[in-house]
Amino acid sequence: MVQAAQWGWLHSSPKPHKDTRLKMYGGEAIGIERGLDGEYLLDALFTVGPTDYRGGEESPVTWAELLAYGQATGAVSEAWEYEAVMAMSKAYFRAKREGAEGVFIIAPVDRGNG
């Protein structure tokens, strides 16, 4: 979940800036690790779209979108995989919203466990 949250933080535009953190860092994906177990689930999240827009508001992806993706591609098929992708979408969404609050919001990968 931390990697999904980190992407959300990177995709946030902290007040008062208009650019995303990712753009501010010159496109460098700070804190993103490659080759992790389960990375295919993160790939699924970004293929579906990490968030959705309903009523003009950004929100986590819908179960219907995840189910349609899984049925169409076969990339996810187990209940736990769907649950993991949904949890990642929620983590991404929360971190993106939090990250937009200002430049001093700590990156998810740098937060303590307690």
Side-chain angles (χ1 to χ4, degrees), residues 1-90:
M1 295 322 134
V2 173
Q3 291 292 288
Q6 185 70 10
W7 275 115
W9 181 82
L10 286 168
H11 289 157
S12 68
S13 297
K15 291 175 186 172
H17 302 280
K18 293 184 182 181
D19 289 335
T20 65
R21 292 173 192 276
L22 186 61
K23 188 170 184 178
M24 287 186 228
Y25 288 130
E28 186 178 347
I30 304 292
I32 298 298
E33 295 182 41
R34 302 289 182 200
L36 296 172
D37 289 341
E39 189 169 1
Y40 75 99
L41 295 173
L42 197 57
D43 292 341
L45 173 68
F46 282 99
T47 300
V48 170
T51 58
D52 193 14
Y53 285 86
R54 291 185 293 279
E57 295 288 323
E58 188 173 20
S59 59
V61 71
T62 66
W63 284 105
E65 287 292 321
L66 286 179
L67 182 60
Y69 168 78
Q71 290 175 336
T73 66
V76 293
S77 58
E78 301 294 323
W80 71 266
E81 291 172 314
Y82 285 104
E83 290 172 1
V85 175
M86 178 57 79
M88 286 185 220
S89 178
K90 290 176 180 178

